[in-house]
Amino acid sequence: MALEVLSALNQEAIAVPEDVSVVGFDDSPDSAQSHPPLTTVHKPRHAMGVRAAGGVLDQLGRGFRGGGPEFLPCRLVPRGTCAPARACA
């Protein structure tokens, strides 16, 4: 979705990051190839898959018990679509 936003901003001649900053959330391979390269949040896909598979196996073995949310570390991947914050007037 953020890559589509970059495209739309470009069509409207809105400069990124000079006029607006854009951040994505998935760190897809296309993120680094966009112009400018998209700042994004990297999700630990492998760890997510391992946790999901473990949850399914638990449910198959013990029945559904429900559970709380699980948190995995994410990290910001700064690239070219974010500018420093400006001072408010």
Side-chain angles (χ1 to χ4, degrees):
M1 190 176 284
L3 293 172
E4 292 298 321
V5 168
L6 283 179
S7 177
L9 290 169
N10 184 47
Q11 289 176 5
E12 296 297 322
I14 298 172
V16 176
E18 293 82 3
D19 296 330
V20 65
S21 292
V22 179
V23 178
F25 189 87
D26 70 357
D27 197 20
S28 69
D30 292 338
S31 298
Q33 305 304 317
S34 66
H35 183 73
L38 179 65
T39 296
T40 187
V41 175
H42 175 81
K43 299 184 297 187
R45 288 184 181 94
H46 179 77
M48 290 169 65
V50 168
R51 296 272 180 100
V56 169
L57 292 173
D58 283 348
Q59 290 179 24
L60 291 172
R62 294 187 284 214
F64 181 73
R65 301 171 126 200
E70 293 196 35
F71 299 95
L72 295 171
C74 295
R75 64 181 168 79
L76 180 66
V77 181
R79 295 191 180 114
T81 59
C82 285
R86 295 184 224 166
C88 296

